[in-house]
Amino acid sequence: MGTDTHISEHRAADHLISVFEAQIRSGALAEGDMLPPEREIVQTYGVSRTVVREAVLALSNKGLVQARPRHRPVVVKPGYDTALNVVQSIVGQLLDQPGGIRNLFDLRIMMEAALVREAALKATKEDIQRLKTALMANEAATGNSEAFFRTDTAFHGVLFEIPNNPVLPFIHRAYTTWLAPQWTQMPREPQRNQRNFQAHKRVYEAILHRDPDLAEKELRAHLAAAWDQVCITFEGL
Amino acid sequence: MGTDTHISEHRAADHLISVFEAQIRSGALAEGDMLPPEREIVQTYGVSRTVVREAVLALSNKGLVQARPRHRPVVVKPGYDTALNVVQSIVGQLLDQPGGIRNLFDLRIMMEAALVREAALKATKEDIQRLKTALMANEAATGNSEAFFRTDTAFHGVLFEIPNNPVLPFIHRAYTTWLAPQWTQMPREPQRNQRNFQAHKRVYEAILHRDPDLAEKELRAHLAAAWDQVCITFEGL
DNA sequence: GAACATTTTTTGTCATACCAAAACCGATCA
DNA sequence: TGATCGGTTTTGGTATGACAAAAAATGTTC
């Protein structure tokens, strides 16, 4: 019931954390800056090194600073790049849930179906040109499974870029960085690559003809086939 | 495994972290169990309390244990609930980006447009009944802005439940828990509530008539109006 | 001015100590 | 018997000091 957030009680580190977080967000600590040495923070804020280290560690885990061992922590502006790491760990957790793979895959289908609809309705000439370029690269790579995988994700990536919403490429990156390790070890015969390319081509042509229903249909068929591949590869369903 | 940043150099805490993480995932440490006392871990693994505390803190930040001050950390199985907190912080970061509000709102429009399409095509009788119940509660609350907000999100929540994908309600919760604080302080005259309810009703009826195109159109109109409200409330665009 | 050797910082880790809150336990009392 | 109350033990939060090793800063030599 009680959705936690009982931050009621106070640890000394929490204060330090919020102080630095504010300094980072306000720009007092710019990106690339280094945090002061631990002993200096100790003197400045009158706390023990224990607390300082705890606070810095928390900032590091929050992604606000990047702390390599034996190096001073470096400030990183919170943004899409820093968020990516966290999202990836989230995706990992979601995948561990029962049916996680299927659920995330379904979600991807839903999102990408919506994407091709939008693309069919609102893609600019430049968008379509980029799609075509990606498609041609995809075709050229049907013989090389490794290269085909790259051009495959690139083609889908263009779809995520069309709505001009930076959150979408972000999601795509989070998804593919999970996918990549699993996908690459799947057997990919050239004939299957050829079939996938043809599917991409049909989606592209539906977008070209400004037919959202057809684009969605082709996209869903393509991803359903991809899911079958996944199923065959990982017996676990 | 090392989904994290750089596995380059070794901190002593990293070992402990992976040990406990393995124990949690394998079930050796079940949900609700408490981690051993720090001093016991010290003796077991032959490291200092500094390292133990650092490891526990990291586990806590990872969401694998829930550590209230002065209490023993309690093991939590990674799942949707634990992931929620992290996602909320991510959403916060994304909102801080330039145009973040607009981008996330657009994303929501896109997702929910896809949702009502699916609902119009595949909603069961039970789904439609739940939608109707939520709609009626919504209508009954047009006079009370606070209650209307609750029934409003509940109605949209039902939409996220229809595809039977637990990730979708998860996303909805992450979205609304951000939205709630901002939304509630918006002025909501009953007349505006009435208009929002009518919009909900039109979406519902489109789903009832199995008309995905109309459902999407009504949903987009509804959310576009909602965005105008947001714009009016927060000058910052 | 560049390559090398040396000194100083700074982090990572350990050990110890103390306080206060929590948990534990036994005695008391209804 | 069972609940309550008080004190004792455990345990987490913090402080302090120390040391090794790596990094950074400095100086030295060619």
Side-chain angles (χ1 to χ4, degrees), chain B residues 38-73:
Chain B
E38 294 179 355
R39 288 169 176 84
E40 195 179 315
I41 304 179
V42 165
Q43 297 206 347
T44 309
Y45 297 92
V47 291
S48 75
R49 241 182 101 196
T50 312
V51 172
V52 173
R53 287 184 108 316
E54 191 170 316
V56 170
L57 190 65
L59 288 175
S60 167
N61 290 354
K62 277 193 175 191
L64 287 172
V65 304
Q66 184 175 355
R68 318 202 311 288
R70 296 262 158 216
H71 289 259
R72 299 261 292 282

PDB file of all heavy atoms in Angstrom, chain B residues 38-73:
ATOM      1  N   GLU B  38      25.845  -5.425   9.150  1.00  0.00           N
ATOM      2  CA  GLU B  38      27.083  -5.001   8.506  1.00  0.00           C
ATOM      3  C   GLU B  38      28.291  -5.702   9.099  1.00  0.00           C
ATOM      4  O   GLU B  38      29.160  -6.185   8.374  1.00  0.00           O
ATOM      5  CB  GLU B  38      27.237  -3.486   8.649  1.00  0.00           C
ATOM      6  CG  GLU B  38      26.176  -2.711   7.900  1.00  0.00           C
ATOM      7  CD  GLU B  38      26.341  -1.210   8.091  1.00  0.00           C
ATOM      8  OE1 GLU B  38      27.221  -0.821   8.877  1.00  0.00           O
ATOM      9  OE2 GLU B  38      25.590  -0.462   7.465  1.00  0.00           O
ATOM     10  N   ARG B  39      28.339  -5.777  10.432  1.00  0.00           N
ATOM     11  CA  ARG B  39      29.531  -6.354  11.059  1.00  0.00           C
ATOM     12  C   ARG B  39      29.667  -7.833  10.738  1.00  0.00           C
ATOM     13  O   ARG B  39      30.770  -8.385  10.732  1.00  0.00           O
ATOM     14  CB  ARG B  39      29.461  -6.127  12.565  1.00  0.00           C
ATOM     15  CG  ARG B  39      29.700  -4.674  12.958  1.00  0.00           C
ATOM     16  CD  ARG B  39      29.364  -4.441  14.419  1.00  0.00           C
ATOM     17  NE  ARG B  39      29.664  -3.077  14.862  1.00  0.00           N
ATOM     18  CZ  ARG B  39      28.850  -2.045  14.706  1.00  0.00           C
ATOM     19  NH1 ARG B  39      27.688  -2.197  14.099  1.00  0.00           N
ATOM     20  NH2 ARG B  39      29.183  -0.848  15.141  1.00  0.00           N
ATOM     21  N   GLU B  40      28.548  -8.484  10.496  1.00  0.00           N
ATOM     22  CA  GLU B  40      28.608  -9.897  10.129  1.00  0.00           C
ATOM     23  C   GLU B  40      29.171 -10.028   8.714  1.00  0.00           C
ATOM     24  O   GLU B  40      30.002 -10.899   8.449  1.00  0.00           O
ATOM     25  CB  GLU B  40      27.205 -10.504  10.215  1.00  0.00           C
ATOM     26  CG  GLU B  40      27.184 -12.016  10.216  1.00  0.00           C
ATOM     27  CD  GLU B  40      25.761 -12.547  10.317  1.00  0.00           C
ATOM     28  OE1 GLU B  40      24.988 -12.025  11.157  1.00  0.00           O
ATOM     29  OE2 GLU B  40      25.406 -13.440   9.529  1.00  0.00           O
ATOM     30  N   ILE B  41      28.698  -9.184   7.809  1.00  0.00           N
ATOM     31  CA  ILE B  41      29.221  -9.207   6.446  1.00  0.00           C
ATOM     32  C   ILE B  41      30.718  -8.957   6.458  1.00  0.00           C
ATOM     33  O   ILE B  41      31.481  -9.578   5.716  1.00  0.00           O
ATOM     34  CB  ILE B  41      28.509  -8.148   5.584  1.00  0.00           C
ATOM     35  CG1 ILE B  41      26.992  -8.373   5.619  1.00  0.00           C
ATOM     36  CG2 ILE B  41      29.014  -8.183   4.158  1.00  0.00           C
ATOM     37  CD1 ILE B  41      26.211  -7.359   4.825  1.00  0.00           C
ATOM     38  N   VAL B  42      31.139  -8.044   7.321  1.00  0.00           N
ATOM     39  CA  VAL B  42      32.558  -7.745   7.452  1.00  0.00           C
ATOM     40  C   VAL B  42      33.343  -9.026   7.724  1.00  0.00           C
ATOM     41  O   VAL B  42      34.328  -9.337   7.050  1.00  0.00           O
ATOM     42  CB  VAL B  42      32.790  -6.726   8.584  1.00  0.00           C
ATOM     43  CG1 VAL B  42      34.258  -6.681   8.965  1.00  0.00           C
ATOM     44  CG2 VAL B  42      32.301  -5.351   8.170  1.00  0.00           C
ATOM     45  N   GLN B  43      32.872  -9.799   8.718  1.00  0.00           N
ATOM     46  CA  GLN B  43      33.593 -11.014   9.064  1.00  0.00           C
ATOM     47  C   GLN B  43      33.490 -12.065   7.966  1.00  0.00           C
ATOM     48  O   GLN B  43      34.464 -12.765   7.669  1.00  0.00           O
ATOM     49  CB  GLN B  43      33.042 -11.574  10.383  1.00  0.00           C
ATOM     50  CG  GLN B  43      33.249 -10.621  11.549  1.00  0.00           C
ATOM     51  CD  GLN B  43      33.305 -11.336  12.879  1.00  0.00           C
ATOM     52  OE1 GLN B  43      32.953 -12.512  12.958  1.00  0.00           O
ATOM     53  NE2 GLN B  43      33.742 -10.644  13.919  1.00  0.00           N
ATOM     54  N   THR B  44      32.307 -12.179   7.382  1.00  0.00           N
ATOM     55  CA  THR B  44      32.108 -13.213   6.370  1.00  0.00           C
ATOM     56  C   THR B  44      33.012 -13.015   5.164  1.00  0.00           C
ATOM     57  O   THR B  44      33.602 -13.960   4.656  1.00  0.00           O
ATOM     58  CB  THR B  44      30.640 -13.235   5.916  1.00  0.00           C
ATOM     59  OG1 THR B  44      29.798 -13.303   7.060  1.00  0.00           O
ATOM     60  CG2 THR B  44      30.374 -14.423   5.017  1.00  0.00           C
ATOM     61  N   TYR B  45      33.101 -11.788   4.701  1.00  0.00           N
ATOM     62  CA  TYR B  45      33.810 -11.554   3.450  1.00  0.00           C
ATOM     63  C   TYR B  45      35.172 -10.909   3.657  1.00  0.00           C
ATOM     64  O   TYR B  45      35.871 -10.615   2.689  1.00  0.00           O
ATOM     65  CB  TYR B  45      32.954 -10.703   2.515  1.00  0.00           C
ATOM     66  CG  TYR B  45      31.672 -11.396   2.116  1.00  0.00           C
ATOM     67  CD1 TYR B  45      30.498 -11.218   2.846  1.00  0.00           C
ATOM     68  CD2 TYR B  45      31.641 -12.255   1.021  1.00  0.00           C
ATOM     69  CE1 TYR B  45      29.326 -11.865   2.497  1.00  0.00           C
ATOM     70  CE2 TYR B  45      30.476 -12.904   0.665  1.00  0.00           C
ATOM     71  CZ  TYR B  45      29.328 -12.708   1.404  1.00  0.00           C
ATOM     72  OH  TYR B  45      28.167 -13.350   1.065  1.00  0.00           O
ATOM     73  N   GLY B  46      35.524 -10.647   4.916  1.00  0.00           N
ATOM     74  CA  GLY B  46      36.855 -10.115   5.169  1.00  0.00           C
ATOM     75  C   GLY B  46      37.114  -8.756   4.559  1.00  0.00           C
ATOM     76  O   GLY B  46      38.184  -8.505   4.019  1.00  0.00           O
ATOM     77  N   VAL B  47      36.132  -7.910   4.585  1.00  0.00           N
ATOM     78  CA  VAL B  47      36.341  -6.533   4.108  1.00  0.00           C
ATOM     79  C   VAL B  47      35.951  -5.575   5.236  1.00  0.00           C
ATOM     80  O   VAL B  47      35.375  -5.985   6.244  1.00  0.00           O
ATOM     81  CB  VAL B  47      35.485  -6.238   2.862  1.00  0.00           C
ATOM     82  CG1 VAL B  47      35.991  -7.015   1.673  1.00  0.00           C
ATOM     83  CG2 VAL B  47      34.023  -6.542   3.137  1.00  0.00           C
ATOM     84  N   SER B  48      36.262  -4.346   5.036  1.00  0.00           N
ATOM     85  CA  SER B  48      35.964  -3.371   6.085  1.00  0.00           C
ATOM     86  C   SER B  48      34.512  -2.914   6.007  1.00  0.00           C
ATOM     87  O   SER B  48      33.830  -3.107   4.996  1.00  0.00           O
ATOM     88  CB  SER B  48      36.874  -2.167   5.952  1.00  0.00           C
ATOM     89  OG  SER B  48      36.454  -1.373   4.871  1.00  0.00           O
ATOM     90  N   ARG B  49      34.087  -2.301   7.060  1.00  0.00           N
ATOM     91  CA  ARG B  49      32.694  -1.835   7.070  1.00  0.00           C
ATOM     92  C   ARG B  49      32.487  -0.758   6.012  1.00  0.00           C
ATOM     93  O   ARG B  49      31.397  -0.617   5.463  1.00  0.00           O
ATOM     94  CB  ARG B  49      32.338  -1.281   8.455  1.00  0.00           C
ATOM     95  CG  ARG B  49      31.213  -2.043   9.116  1.00  0.00           C
ATOM     96  CD  ARG B  49      30.869  -1.441  10.448  1.00  0.00           C
ATOM     97  NE  ARG B  49      29.689  -0.614  10.418  1.00  0.00           N
ATOM     98  CZ  ARG B  49      29.373   0.250  11.377  1.00  0.00           C
ATOM     99  NH1 ARG B  49      30.167   0.417  12.397  1.00  0.00           N
ATOM    100  NH2 ARG B  49      28.270   0.938  11.293  1.00  0.00           N
ATOM    101  N   THR B  50      33.516  -0.007   5.753  1.00  0.00           N
ATOM    102  CA  THR B  50      33.431   1.003   4.697  1.00  0.00           C
ATOM    103  C   THR B  50      32.923   0.370   3.405  1.00  0.00           C
ATOM    104  O   THR B  50      31.976   0.861   2.779  1.00  0.00           O
ATOM    105  CB  THR B  50      34.812   1.628   4.450  1.00  0.00           C
ATOM    106  OG1 THR B  50      35.380   1.992   5.701  1.00  0.00           O
ATOM    107  CG2 THR B  50      34.699   2.811   3.548  1.00  0.00           C
ATOM    108  N   VAL B  51      33.578  -0.709   3.024  1.00  0.00           N
ATOM    109  CA  VAL B  51      33.222  -1.370   1.768  1.00  0.00           C
ATOM    110  C   VAL B  51      31.815  -1.925   1.842  1.00  0.00           C
ATOM    111  O   VAL B  51      31.025  -1.801   0.905  1.00  0.00           O
ATOM    112  CB  VAL B  51      34.234  -2.493   1.466  1.00  0.00           C
ATOM    113  CG1 VAL B  51      33.781  -3.308   0.279  1.00  0.00           C
ATOM    114  CG2 VAL B  51      35.599  -1.903   1.229  1.00  0.00           C
ATOM    115  N   VAL B  52      31.485  -2.527   2.986  1.00  0.00           N
ATOM    116  CA  VAL B  52      30.147  -3.100   3.130  1.00  0.00           C
ATOM    117  C   VAL B  52      29.093  -2.016   2.954  1.00  0.00           C
ATOM    118  O   VAL B  52      28.126  -2.176   2.206  1.00  0.00           O
ATOM    119  CB  VAL B  52      29.990  -3.765   4.506  1.00  0.00           C
ATOM    120  CG1 VAL B  52      28.555  -4.205   4.716  1.00  0.00           C
ATOM    121  CG2 VAL B  52      30.927  -4.949   4.617  1.00  0.00           C
ATOM    122  N   ARG B  53      29.317  -0.902   3.633  1.00  0.00           N
ATOM    123  CA  ARG B  53      28.325   0.168   3.546  1.00  0.00           C
ATOM    124  C   ARG B  53      28.206   0.677   2.122  1.00  0.00           C
ATOM    125  O   ARG B  53      27.115   0.947   1.632  1.00  0.00           O
ATOM    126  CB  ARG B  53      28.734   1.314   4.474  1.00  0.00           C
ATOM    127  CG  ARG B  53      28.528   0.994   5.940  1.00  0.00           C
ATOM    128  CD  ARG B  53      28.851   2.166   6.806  1.00  0.00           C
ATOM    129  NE  ARG B  53      27.770   2.865   7.434  1.00  0.00           N
ATOM    130  CZ  ARG B  53      26.637   3.228   6.926  1.00  0.00           C
ATOM    131  NH1 ARG B  53      26.373   2.955   5.719  1.00  0.00           N
ATOM    132  NH2 ARG B  53      25.748   3.871   7.602  1.00  0.00           N
ATOM    133  N   GLU B  54      29.343   0.786   1.463  1.00  0.00           N
ATOM    134  CA  GLU B  54      29.322   1.254   0.086  1.00  0.00           C
ATOM    135  C   GLU B  54      28.519   0.302  -0.792  1.00  0.00           C
ATOM    136  O   GLU B  54      27.699   0.726  -1.610  1.00  0.00           O
ATOM    137  CB  GLU B  54      30.761   1.377  -0.429  1.00  0.00           C
ATOM    138  CG  GLU B  54      30.884   2.100  -1.729  1.00  0.00           C
ATOM    139  CD  GLU B  54      32.338   2.399  -2.050  1.00  0.00           C
ATOM    140  OE1 GLU B  54      33.051   2.836  -1.120  1.00  0.00           O
ATOM    141  OE2 GLU B  54      32.742   2.193  -3.190  1.00  0.00           O
ATOM    142  N   ALA B  55      28.737  -0.988  -0.579  1.00  0.00           N
ATOM    143  CA  ALA B  55      28.025  -1.976  -1.385  1.00  0.00           C
ATOM    144  C   ALA B  55      26.526  -1.916  -1.109  1.00  0.00           C
ATOM    145  O   ALA B  55      25.709  -1.914  -2.031  1.00  0.00           O
ATOM    146  CB  ALA B  55      28.565  -3.372  -1.080  1.00  0.00           C
ATOM    147  N   VAL B  56      26.173  -1.861   0.159  1.00  0.00           N
ATOM    148  CA  VAL B  56      24.754  -1.824   0.506  1.00  0.00           C
ATOM    149  C   VAL B  56      24.102  -0.586  -0.084  1.00  0.00           C
ATOM    150  O   VAL B  56      22.993  -0.633  -0.615  1.00  0.00           O
ATOM    151  CB  VAL B  56      24.579  -1.853   2.032  1.00  0.00           C
ATOM    152  CG1 VAL B  56      23.136  -1.570   2.401  1.00  0.00           C
ATOM    153  CG2 VAL B  56      25.011  -3.187   2.581  1.00  0.00           C
ATOM    154  N   LEU B  57      24.812   0.528  -0.005  1.00  0.00           N
ATOM    155  CA  LEU B  57      24.269   1.754  -0.565  1.00  0.00           C
ATOM    156  C   LEU B  57      24.028   1.609  -2.063  1.00  0.00           C
ATOM    157  O   LEU B  57      22.986   2.046  -2.586  1.00  0.00           O
ATOM    158  CB  LEU B  57      25.238   2.907  -0.298  1.00  0.00           C
ATOM    159  CG  LEU B  57      24.698   4.290  -0.619  1.00  0.00           C
ATOM    160  CD1 LEU B  57      23.550   4.621   0.303  1.00  0.00           C
ATOM    161  CD2 LEU B  57      25.792   5.325  -0.519  1.00  0.00           C
ATOM    162  N   ALA B  58      24.980   0.994  -2.733  1.00  0.00           N
ATOM    163  CA  ALA B  58      24.817   0.799  -4.173  1.00  0.00           C
ATOM    164  C   ALA B  58      23.617  -0.085  -4.457  1.00  0.00           C
ATOM    165  O   ALA B  58      22.823   0.197  -5.355  1.00  0.00           O
ATOM    166  CB  ALA B  58      26.088   0.189  -4.756  1.00  0.00           C
ATOM    167  N   LEU B  59      23.471  -1.166  -3.680  1.00  0.00           N
ATOM    168  CA  LEU B  59      22.314  -2.043  -3.872  1.00  0.00           C
ATOM    169  C   LEU B  59      21.030  -1.257  -3.658  1.00  0.00           C
ATOM    170  O   LEU B  59      20.049  -1.431  -4.371  1.00  0.00           O
ATOM    171  CB  LEU B  59      22.376  -3.216  -2.891  1.00  0.00           C
ATOM    172  CG  LEU B  59      23.424  -4.279  -3.171  1.00  0.00           C
ATOM    173  CD1 LEU B  59      23.458  -5.304  -2.059  1.00  0.00           C
ATOM    174  CD2 LEU B  59      23.141  -4.952  -4.496  1.00  0.00           C
ATOM    175  N   SER B  60      21.069  -0.395  -2.656  1.00  0.00           N
ATOM    176  CA  SER B  60      19.893   0.412  -2.376  1.00  0.00           C
ATOM    177  C   SER B  60      19.574   1.326  -3.555  1.00  0.00           C
ATOM    178  O   SER B  60      18.414   1.459  -3.957  1.00  0.00           O
ATOM    179  CB  SER B  60      20.124   1.230  -1.105  1.00  0.00           C
ATOM    180  OG  SER B  60      19.134   2.215  -0.973  1.00  0.00           O
ATOM    181  N   ASN B  61      20.621   1.949  -4.114  1.00  0.00           N
ATOM    182  CA  ASN B  61      20.388   2.829  -5.252  1.00  0.00           C
ATOM    183  C   ASN B  61      19.943   2.054  -6.479  1.00  0.00           C
ATOM    184  O   ASN B  61      19.248   2.585  -7.327  1.00  0.00           O
ATOM    185  CB  ASN B  61      21.667   3.617  -5.575  1.00  0.00           C
ATOM    186  CG  ASN B  61      21.961   4.638  -4.503  1.00  0.00           C
ATOM    187  OD1 ASN B  61      21.167   4.828  -3.582  1.00  0.00           O
ATOM    188  ND2 ASN B  61      23.086   5.298  -4.585  1.00  0.00           N
ATOM    189  N   LYS B  62      20.372   0.803  -6.554  1.00  0.00           N
ATOM    190  CA  LYS B  62      19.921  -0.032  -7.667  1.00  0.00           C
ATOM    191  C   LYS B  62      18.492  -0.486  -7.466  1.00  0.00           C
ATOM    192  O   LYS B  62      17.890  -1.065  -8.360  1.00  0.00           O
ATOM    193  CB  LYS B  62      20.819  -1.266  -7.790  1.00  0.00           C
ATOM    194  CG  LYS B  62      22.096  -1.029  -8.559  1.00  0.00           C
ATOM    195  CD  LYS B  62      22.731  -2.377  -8.896  1.00  0.00           C
ATOM    196  CE  LYS B  62      23.946  -2.199  -9.770  1.00  0.00           C
ATOM    197  NZ  LYS B  62      24.420  -3.492 -10.318  1.00  0.00           N
ATOM    198  N   GLY B  63      17.966  -0.309  -6.263  1.00  0.00           N
ATOM    199  CA  GLY B  63      16.591  -0.709  -6.005  1.00  0.00           C
ATOM    200  C   GLY B  63      16.456  -2.168  -5.629  1.00  0.00           C
ATOM    201  O   GLY B  63      15.344  -2.685  -5.546  1.00  0.00           O
ATOM    202  N   LEU B  64      17.582  -2.850  -5.384  1.00  0.00           N
ATOM    203  CA  LEU B  64      17.492  -4.265  -5.034  1.00  0.00           C
ATOM    204  C   LEU B  64      17.204  -4.456  -3.551  1.00  0.00           C
ATOM    205  O   LEU B  64      16.731  -5.507  -3.140  1.00  0.00           O
ATOM    206  CB  LEU B  64      18.798  -4.982  -5.401  1.00  0.00           C
ATOM    207  CG  LEU B  64      18.982  -5.191  -6.901  1.00  0.00           C
ATOM    208  CD1 LEU B  64      20.367  -5.712  -7.206  1.00  0.00           C
ATOM    209  CD2 LEU B  64      17.930  -6.168  -7.403  1.00  0.00           C
ATOM    210  N   VAL B  65      17.541  -3.476  -2.761  1.00  0.00           N
ATOM    211  CA  VAL B  65      17.163  -3.513  -1.347  1.00  0.00           C
ATOM    212  C   VAL B  65      16.556  -2.166  -0.994  1.00  0.00           C
ATOM    213  O   VAL B  65      16.815  -1.157  -1.644  1.00  0.00           O
ATOM    214  CB  VAL B  65      18.367  -3.793  -0.417  1.00  0.00           C
ATOM    215  CG1 VAL B  65      19.054  -5.071  -0.791  1.00  0.00           C
ATOM    216  CG2 VAL B  65      19.325  -2.631  -0.446  1.00  0.00           C
ATOM    217  N   GLN B  66      15.734  -2.190   0.021  1.00  0.00           N
ATOM    218  CA  GLN B  66      15.122  -0.952   0.473  1.00  0.00           C
ATOM    219  C   GLN B  66      15.684  -0.657   1.850  1.00  0.00           C
ATOM    220  O   GLN B  66      15.467  -1.405   2.792  1.00  0.00           O
ATOM    221  CB  GLN B  66      13.611  -1.107   0.524  1.00  0.00           C
ATOM    222  CG  GLN B  66      12.883   0.165   0.884  1.00  0.00           C
ATOM    223  CD  GLN B  66      11.385  -0.027   0.785  1.00  0.00           C
ATOM    224  OE1 GLN B  66      10.934  -1.097   0.351  1.00  0.00           O
ATOM    225  NE2 GLN B  66      10.626   0.960   1.197  1.00  0.00           N
ATOM    226  N   ALA B  67      16.439   0.431   1.962  1.00  0.00           N
ATOM    227  CA  ALA B  67      17.160   0.710   3.198  1.00  0.00           C
ATOM    228  C   ALA B  67      16.606   1.964   3.864  1.00  0.00           C
ATOM    229  O   ALA B  67      16.897   3.067   3.443  1.00  0.00           O
ATOM    230  CB  ALA B  67      18.643   0.869   2.912  1.00  0.00           C
ATOM    231  N   ARG B  68      15.807   1.767   4.874  1.00  0.00           N
ATOM    232  CA  ARG B  68      15.383   2.911   5.672  1.00  0.00           C
ATOM    233  C   ARG B  68      16.461   3.170   6.715  1.00  0.00           C
ATOM    234  O   ARG B  68      17.089   2.230   7.212  1.00  0.00           O
ATOM    235  CB  ARG B  68      14.059   2.640   6.378  1.00  0.00           C
ATOM    236  CG  ARG B  68      13.062   1.924   5.495  1.00  0.00           C
ATOM    237  CD  ARG B  68      11.626   2.088   5.905  1.00  0.00           C
ATOM    238  NE  ARG B  68      11.334   1.854   7.312  1.00  0.00           N
ATOM    239  CZ  ARG B  68      11.333   0.671   7.915  1.00  0.00           C
ATOM    240  NH1 ARG B  68      11.689  -0.402   7.229  1.00  0.00           N
ATOM    241  NH2 ARG B  68      11.013   0.543   9.178  1.00  0.00           N
ATOM    242  N   PRO B  69      16.697   4.437   7.038  1.00  0.00           N
ATOM    243  CA  PRO B  69      17.734   4.736   8.022  1.00  0.00           C
ATOM    244  C   PRO B  69      17.476   3.992   9.322  1.00  0.00           C
ATOM    245  O   PRO B  69      16.343   3.835   9.752  1.00  0.00           O
ATOM    246  CB  PRO B  69      17.590   6.251   8.222  1.00  0.00           C
ATOM    247  CG  PRO B  69      16.966   6.745   6.975  1.00  0.00           C
ATOM    248  CD  PRO B  69      16.086   5.628   6.489  1.00  0.00           C
ATOM    249  N   ARG B  70      18.544   3.513   9.907  1.00  0.00           N
ATOM    250  CA  ARG B  70      18.465   2.831  11.205  1.00  0.00           C
ATOM    251  C   ARG B  70      17.769   1.480  11.117  1.00  0.00           C
ATOM    252  O   ARG B  70      17.447   0.887  12.142  1.00  0.00           O
ATOM    253  CB  ARG B  70      17.738   3.688  12.245  1.00  0.00           C
ATOM    254  CG  ARG B  70      18.412   4.971  12.592  1.00  0.00           C
ATOM    255  CD  ARG B  70      19.209   4.841  13.846  1.00  0.00           C
ATOM    256  NE  ARG B  70      20.236   5.874  13.898  1.00  0.00           N
ATOM    257  CZ  ARG B  70      21.431   5.671  14.406  1.00  0.00           C
ATOM    258  NH1 ARG B  70      21.754   4.497  14.866  1.00  0.00           N
ATOM    259  NH2 ARG B  70      22.316   6.631  14.436  1.00  0.00           N
ATOM    260  N   HIS B  71      17.456   1.024   9.931  1.00  0.00           N
ATOM    261  CA  HIS B  71      16.849  -0.304   9.805  1.00  0.00           C
ATOM    262  C   HIS B  71      17.736  -1.161   8.936  1.00  0.00           C
ATOM    263  O   HIS B  71      18.495  -0.647   8.110  1.00  0.00           O
ATOM    264  CB  HIS B  71      15.450  -0.198   9.196  1.00  0.00           C
ATOM    265  CG  HIS B  71      14.440   0.398  10.106  1.00  0.00           C
ATOM    266  ND1 HIS B  71      13.528  -0.348  10.807  1.00  0.00           N
ATOM    267  CD2 HIS B  71      14.214   1.675  10.463  1.00  0.00           C
ATOM    268  CE1 HIS B  71      12.776   0.454  11.542  1.00  0.00           C
ATOM    269  NE2 HIS B  71      13.165   1.689  11.342  1.00  0.00           N
ATOM    270  N   ARG B  72      17.581  -2.442   9.108  1.00  0.00           N
ATOM    271  CA  ARG B  72      18.320  -3.352   8.248  1.00  0.00           C
ATOM    272  C   ARG B  72      17.736  -3.268   6.841  1.00  0.00           C
ATOM    273  O   ARG B  72      16.511  -3.197   6.675  1.00  0.00           O
ATOM    274  CB  ARG B  72      18.183  -4.782   8.771  1.00  0.00           C
ATOM    275  CG  ARG B  72      18.734  -4.982  10.170  1.00  0.00           C
ATOM    276  CD  ARG B  72      20.114  -5.592  10.140  1.00  0.00           C
ATOM    277  NE  ARG B  72      20.087  -6.965   9.671  1.00  0.00           N
ATOM    278  CZ  ARG B  72      19.723  -8.015  10.404  1.00  0.00           C
ATOM    279  NH1 ARG B  72      19.332  -7.830  11.634  1.00  0.00           N
ATOM    280  NH2 ARG B  72      19.747  -9.221   9.906  1.00  0.00           N
ATOM    281  N   PRO B  73      18.599  -3.285   5.845  1.00  0.00           N
ATOM    282  CA  PRO B  73      18.090  -3.242   4.472  1.00  0.00           C
ATOM    283  C   PRO B  73      17.265  -4.480   4.164  1.00  0.00           C
ATOM    284  O   PRO B  73      17.646  -5.592   4.501  1.00  0.00           O
ATOM    285  CB  PRO B  73      19.370  -3.216   3.632  1.00  0.00           C
ATOM    286  CG  PRO B  73      20.436  -2.770   4.555  1.00  0.00           C
ATOM    287  CD  PRO B  73      20.054  -3.266   5.914  1.00  0.00           C
TER     288      PRO B  73
END
